[in-house]
Amino acid sequence: MKKLLLLFAFSQVGNLMAQEQKELGQKVYRAVPEKINNLVHTKLNASFDYKQARLNGNVWITLKPHFYATDSLQLDAKGMDIKQVALVKAGKNIPLKYQYDGWLLKINLDKLYTRNENYTVYIDYVAKPNELEVKGSAAITDAKGLYFINPTGEDKTKPTQIWTQGETEATSVWVPTIDKTNQKTTQEFNLTVPAKYVTLSNGKLVKQTKNSNGTRTDSWKMDLPHAPYLFFMGVGEYAVIKDQYKGKEVSYYVEKEYEKVARKIFGNTPEMMQYFSNKLGVEYPWVKYSQITGRDYVSGAMENTTATLHQESAQQDARELTDRNNWEGTIAHELFHHWFGDYVTAESWSNLTVNESFADYSEYLWAEYKFGKDEAAYTNWVAMNGYLNSKADATKHLVRFYYDSQEDMFDVVSYSKGGRILNMLRNYVGDDAFFKSLNKYLTDNKFGTGSAHKLRLAFEAVTGKDLNWFFNQWYFNSGHPSLVISNSYDAAAQKAMVVIKQTQNNGPFQLPVTIDIYNGANKKRHIVWAKNTADTFYFSSTTKPDLINVDADKVLLAEKKETKTIDEYAHQFKYGGHYLDRREAIDLASKKINETAAYEIVKAGLNDSYFRIRMKALGSFGNAKLDNTTIAMIEKIAKDDVSKLVRADAITVLGQLKNAAYAAQFEEYINDSSYSVAGAALLALNDLDGKKAYVIANKLAKAPAKGRLSAAINAVIIANGDETAYDYIIGNFKKMPLSQEKFSALSSIVEFLAKVTDTEKFKAGVDAVVNFRNEIPDGARPQTDPVINNVFLKGLASKKEAAGAQALADYVKEKMKN
């Protein structure tokens, strides 16, 4: 699963939550689920009651005892109406006695079965997901498993769809099963739907049957075993775009308006399949690979075997795609799960790292292969900072046998930290050994389960190294190093000295550290081991080095404090080569931007080959007075840069100059195919001529807009208009999917509502903000609620009080309590 969270830096709230969860979680050891019976095959006949949002199901489950003989079976079956339970014998259904409490179905078999005997249980049932109250997490908003989207078609702005979300243990809301990660089963799903809809499920579509009542039954067959949480059903009106990989079907299910751009979104999938197959030495193991989008799905994406589900944000229009395909990393993430997660599945949620850390790291691998080392390094940096900035998560082990709920495992530790640990391991053992070890792990455990222990054994078998030290400190311990790094030079002894201090509270880590020493363009590499609270290293050097670059490959998962001069950073920018070498130099230079040497570093960044460094440079001049050559460079970037995102940032900088001579240029850029360029230009024009920008914004508001342009239109209309724009502003806000972008829009929405005097419209606008607050996943709400209530809503109430509208202020305050 690609977890999309609303993450905000409110550490006090986060730390309190972490402490409460730790106290709860330490009470219960989360063992690998005991296997009494093993799933063998699952056959399901399903039809759907759209009006009541129910599934009418008949399921035949074939099982056998794992080792010990047994005369009973326990299945997970949440919130169902159980109509019949029977044993299938000689073609007949023999009724069985059972007990059902609404969660577990306990069945008495007809005899004692041994591990060499298969048996098949038949269950006739109705699944009622909307009538079941279950709690989800920040990653998975609830756990009702089966979702009916606009089932009766009342909402004319939204398609009618059905999709499922099984992770962690929600498949058992719509089909009885043993809902554990260490179970594997083959399957046949026969889905009966209105004939106008297409379906998608695991495996291959083997048959379609038209029925006399206007429905059609699609038969999907999965011949290879996989875990129940990976079961999938999708139903709706989709365009299906067919591709292929080595004769296997590759398909993309999108809403029909996105049919023409589907290949631009998902079209790299066959190349990804080839690349990952080659790197892992394990050919893509499944019969086909399909990807489908689902409305109102907020968990990013889910790696259902052969049938990945993506949230609607994956559907980007042609103008969005001129900027960049924002879903590329997620596509790689879910595909890589088809090896790490689907082919070899975590034996328990405690070992989620062998699913999610690998999928997270696949985003780095794909970026490295397809877009270059700089993009991979950026991907690594973003993920690393996501973990390092989440202070409460530093107390958690990567492999956790104590937690409050399995949903708690879906955090930046299992994803971002785990991915960075894999990057360090790859750097330590080398590429050849790293991928050969992954091959062994996958081959030894194919169609079975994996764990951190099995991963360690695979690496040790390949490398011949004892890696307990690495796994103990990174997989079975918590935290990360905090490093204070300093260096000096002794001219008399001709020695350079590097001191690395570890200041974290949980003892020193054992760290292989790469140190590059530069004299001019020449560098000499040294590899040392930091193992103590303070380590000192000496290196021979006939002259004072121009730069000592510690952690030269920028792989250490650590907080680092390091003091370098501006000249050293200038040398690092010019010769270091790594994305972070240049980024760190620009960061430091931006803090000293009025110094000539610092200004020149940032200015040099404008010519960097990597677009994100150019963007970083554009945003780093601050209040510095730009010289004419810099302005000329930025003007050229705004007009000609190959990256639309860089062009947009350049336009923003030019807008800050408040030069009326740019007005015509900004008007021209507003017509650019890129939402980012057009949005930046509209805001820049607004700073020069608000009236003209307002007229243009109102014209643009009549056509669909997304991203930066949509935000700019809103901002210009709010800044220059009045409450006559209510329907457009609040309507747009309501239509936005649950996302970080919607959260970011709150500031302008509150600014707009402060202008609204119509009582009913004002209240409806406040309700829209409150509804958004209440839709945020439970796991994130302790972070987001205080911000929405105390920053946005409280601020709005204060503005209304100041305007003398006490009744409206009271309405806001009342909503803050709900």
Side-chain angles (χ1 to χ4, degrees):
M1 172 173 289
K2 176 67 172 179
K3 180 183 63 170
L4 295 186
L5 293 180
L6 297 165
L7 293 176
F8 308 98
F10 303 106
S11 57
Q12 185 176 7
V13 174
N15 284 329
L16 287 171
M17 286 179 61
Q19 182 60 33
E20 291 172 3
Q21 290 175 350
K22 184 177 180 182
E23 291 172 359
L24 275 171
Q26 283 181 343
K27 296 178 181 178
V28 181
Y29 174 74
R30 305 297 179 176
V32 175
E34 182 181 5
K35 298 178 78 172
I36 298 172
N37 288 283
N38 288 340
L39 296 172
V40 175
H41 185 71
T42 302
K43 179 182 176 181
L44 170 68
N45 291 349
S47 62
F48 304 94
D49 182 338
Y50 282 81
K51 186 175 181 180
Q52 297 189 79
R54 292 179 174 182
L55 178 151
N56 300 309
N58 305 99
V59 65
W60 293 260
I61 308 171
T62 301
L63 310 100
K64 67 177 180 178
H66 178 71
F67 184 83
Y68 300 106
T70 184
D71 60 1
S72 65
L73 168 65
Q74 180 171 290
L75 297 173
D76 298 291
K78 300 182 177 80
M80 299 177 178
D81 286 341
I82 304 296
K83 296 183 175 182
Q84 183 184 4
V85 177
L87 185 76
V88 180
K89 217 164 199 178
K92 295 181 179 180
N93 290 343
I94 301 171
L96 293 173
K97 292 183 179 179
Y98 64 91
Q99 300 83 45
Y100 182 55
D101 63 1
W103 292 91
L104 295 174
L105 179 61
K106 299 178 180 180
I107 302 170
N108 301 320
L109 301 175
D110 64 327
K111 67 165 194 158
L112 194 69
Y113 286 85
T114 70
R115 62 180 177 269
N116 298 316
E117 293 179 280
N118 286 8
Y119 62 91
T120 299
V121 169
Y122 166 78
I123 304 169
D124 182 4
Y125 68 97
V126 176
K128 304 179 294 181
N130 287 1
E131 299 163 57
L132 177 70
E133 289 191 11
V134 286
K135 187 177 180 181
S137 69
I140 305 159
T141 53
D142 56 42
K144 65 182 183 181
L146 174 62
Y147 296 79
F148 288 80
I149 308 302
N150 194 26
T152 60
E154 292 178 3
D155 186 345
K156 302 306 178 184
T157 68
K158 186 179 292 187
T160 296
Q161 296 176 350
I162 295 172
W163 46 261
T164 61
Q165 166 59 41
E167 196 171 37
T168 53
E169 296 176 4
T171 291
S172 48
V173 175
W174 54 273
V175 59
T177 189
I178 304 176
D179 210 352
K180 305 299 177 186
T181 64
N182 60 349
Q183 290 284 340
K184 296 283 178 95
T185 175
T186 55
Q187 71 183 64
E188 296 174 69
F189 282 5
N190 301 303
L191 310 179
T192 299
V193 299
K196 65 180 178 179
Y197 295 141
V198 298
T199 69
L200 178 64
S201 189
N202 314 98
K204 197 167 186 177
L205 181 61
V206 295
K207 186 181 179 182
Q208 292 187 296
T209 305
K210 291 183 178 180
N211 305 313
S212 59
N213 62 354
T215 65
R216 188 188 69 252
T217 300
D218 290 352
S219 299
W220 294 86
K221 191 173 183 183
M222 182 77 166
D223 290 328
L224 298 175
H226 67 144
Y229 78 87
L230 298 166
F231 289 179
F232 179 74
M233 300 183 299
V235 182
E237 290 190 84
Y238 289 95
V240 183
I241 293 84
K242 295 291 181 73
D243 213 330
Q244 67 88 31
Y245 168 71
K246 291 189 173 180
K248 294 182 177 182
E249 177 191 337
V250 176
S251 53
Y252 320 125
Y253 287 60
V254 296
E255 292 174 33
K256 291 181 178 180
E257 67 179 284
Y258 294 95
E259 182 174 7
K260 291 182 179 179
V261 293
R263 287 184 185 276
K264 290 184 178 180
I265 301 168
F266 298 109
N268 283 335
T269 300
E271 187 179 356
M272 284 184 189
M273 296 169 77
Q274 181 69 73
Y275 170 66
F276 290 146
S277 295
N278 290 345
K279 292 299 284 186
L280 297 171
V282 176
E283 188 57 57
Y284 176 77
W286 310 99
V287 68
K288 70 116 169 38
Y289 188 52
S290 298
Q291 296 173 85
I292 188 171
T293 60
R295 282 292 185 101
D296 298 344
Y297 181 61
V298 299
S299 296
M302 179 63 208
E303 66 275 13
N304 311 297
T305 314
T306 77
T308 286
L309 172 65
H310 294 275
Q311 73 175 60
E312 64 194 87
S313 299
Q315 297 181 140
Q316 303 154 83
D317 65 28
R319 293 187 71 181
E320 287 177 283
L321 292 166
T322 63
D323 289 343
R324 193 168 183 81
N325 182 357
N326 290 321
W327 217 249
E328 189 87 7
T330 303
I331 293 168
H333 182 114
E334 304 309 330
L335 174 60
F336 208 66
H337 266 310
H338 280 70
W339 286 270
F340 292 91
D342 298 7
Y343 188 58
V344 179
T345 308
E347 67 182 14
S348 68
W349 299 118
S350 294
N351 273 280
L352 182 64
T353 178
V354 297
N355 289 9
E356 293 301 348
S357 300
F358 277 102
D360 182 275
Y361 190 52
S362 74
E363 298 176 47
Y364 175 98
L365 294 174
W366 177 249
E368 182 180 49
Y369 162 78
K370 187 67 176 176
F371 305 110
K373 290 185 176 180
D374 282 337
E375 183 70 4
Y378 170 79
T379 302
N380 194 68
W381 174 81
V382 169
M384 186 180 294
N385 276 273
Y387 162 71
L388 292 176
N389 290 329
S390 183
K391 302 300 182 184
D393 288 308
T395 63
K396 300 176 184 176
H397 292 199
L398 182 57
V399 179
R400 268 165 274 166
F401 293 101
Y402 294 89
Y403 51 75
D404 182 25
S405 163
Q406 68 264 16
E407 313 296 346
D408 300 337
M409 293 297 299
F410 292 81
D411 57 18
V412 291
V413 178
S414 295
Y415 287 73
S416 301
K417 182 180 182 180
R420 311 298 59 79
I421 289 168
L422 289 172
N423 196 40
M424 288 191 293
L425 183 57
R426 178 187 176 190
N427 185 266
Y428 174 62
V429 302
D431 268 26
D432 191 27
F434 181 78
F435 289 107
K436 278 187 168 57
S437 298
L438 298 190
N439 174 273
K440 180 169 178 58
Y441 170 81
L442 291 170
T443 303
D444 289 351
N445 301 293
K446 62 183 180 182
F447 300 113
T449 59
S451 67
H453 288 300
K454 291 179 180 179
L455 184 65
R456 174 182 60 82
L457 291 173
F459 270 86
E460 289 183 341
V462 169
T463 65
K465 297 176 182 290
D466 185 323
L467 291 171
N468 276 289
W469 68 270
F470 185 92
F471 279 79
N472 284 342
Q473 75 180 15
W474 289 116
Y475 281 82
F476 302 106
N477 204 347
S478 62
H480 53 270
S482 294
L483 306 179
V484 177
I485 303 166
S486 60
N487 70 75
S488 60
Y489 181 70
D490 186 336
Q494 294 189 335
K495 294 276 188 183
M497 181 178 75
V498 175
V499 178
I500 301 176
K501 295 180 180 179
Q502 299 192 41
T503 62
Q504 68 276 4
N505 294 325
N506 59 334
F509 280 66
Q510 185 173 337
L511 303 171
V513 183
T514 301
I515 300 176
D516 285 349
I517 298 181
Y518 285 82
N519 286 289
N522 297 319
K523 76 174 181 183
K524 188 172 182 181
R525 172 156 291 195
H526 305 270
I527 298 177
V528 300
W529 285 83
K531 300 181 179 180
N532 305 293
T533 53
D535 290 286
T536 304
F537 307 99
Y538 296 93
F539 309 98
S540 297
S541 182
T542 55
T543 59
K544 184 179 185 301
D546 292 311
L547 172 67
I548 297 177
N549 198 359
V550 178
D551 185 25
D553 290 331
K554 303 295 185 280
V555 296
L556 291 181
L557 178 60
E559 295 178 80
K560 292 183 286 188
K561 293 181 180 179
E562 191 170 9
T563 304
K564 294 177 185 174
T565 67
I566 194 67
D567 288 337
E568 287 173 321
Y569 274 115
H571 203 88
Q572 179 174 310
F573 181 89
K574 186 174 182 179
Y575 294 109
H578 194 280
Y579 162 71
L580 283 182
D581 285 327
R582 287 122 68 206
R583 183 186 178 91
E584 287 174 1
I586 293 176
D587 265 336
L588 185 280
S590 69
K591 296 178 177 67
K592 301 182 177 183
I593 194 65
N594 292 315
E595 296 180 17
T596 301
Y599 183 93
E600 290 302 318
I601 290 174
V602 176
K603 184 176 177 180
L606 298 176
N607 283 323
D608 197 90
S609 61
Y610 181 44
F611 77 98
R612 296 193 192 277
I613 291 293
R614 300 197 297 278
M615 292 170 67
K616 177 68 178 173
L618 286 163
S620 297
F621 285 106
N623 295 320
K625 181 174 174 56
L626 303 182
D627 60 36
N628 289 335
T629 57
T630 302
I631 292 173
M633 292 171 69
I634 296 173
E635 288 173 345
K636 189 174 189 312
I637 290 170
K639 182 181 179 182
D640 298 328
D641 200 278
V642 294
S643 168
K644 300 281 190 174
L645 298 176
V646 178
R647 286 187 61 205
D649 283 0
I651 292 166
T652 297
V653 175
L654 294 179
Q656 292 165 355
L657 298 179
K658 303 290 194 298
N659 186 342
Y662 291 129
Q665 214 169 342
F666 293 156
E667 283 193 66
E668 177 188 342
Y669 293 154
I670 289 171
N671 296 316
D672 195 271
S673 61
S674 161
Y675 285 134
S676 294
V677 170
L682 180 60
L683 290 178
L685 179 64
N686 186 61
D687 286 339
L688 294 177
D689 188 340
K691 289 184 178 179
K692 180 175 282 188
Y694 181 65
V695 171
I696 293 173
N698 277 290
K699 289 180 181 178
L700 294 173
K702 295 175 183 178
K706 292 186 178 182
R708 207 159 166 175
L709 179 57
S710 177
I713 293 169
N714 283 352
V716 171
I717 291 176
I718 289 170
N720 300 288
D722 54 32
E723 63 183 289
T724 58
Y726 178 91
D727 290 342
Y728 176 78
I729 298 297
I730 301 302
N732 264 3
F733 180 75
K734 288 180 177 179
K735 286 188 288 187
M736 291 174 72
L738 188 67
S739 62
Q740 181 72 55
E741 183 182 354
K742 190 167 186 176
F743 187 91
S744 300
L746 282 175
S747 179
S748 60
I749 293 298
V750 168
E751 180 187 346
F752 176 72
L753 286 174
K755 297 181 177 183
V756 175
T757 58
D758 183 292
T759 299
E760 294 308 312
K761 286 185 175 181
F762 176 81
K763 289 181 177 180
V766 172
D767 290 347
V769 173
V770 172
N771 290 340
F772 167 62
R773 179 197 67 191
N774 296 342
E775 288 171 359
I776 293 172
D778 291 341
R781 285 194 63 182
Q783 292 177 315
T784 56
D785 277 9
V787 183
I788 295 173
N789 289 335
N790 299 330
V791 177
F792 296 120
L793 293 177
K794 188 175 182 180
L796 180 59
S798 298
K799 289 179 180 179
K800 284 301 181 185
E801 281 179 339
Q806 188 61 49
L808 299 185
D810 290 343
Y811 184 80
V812 178
K813 291 176 182 177
E814 185 62 31
K815 288 294 181 177
M816 290 168 62
K817 301 174 186 177
N818 296 342

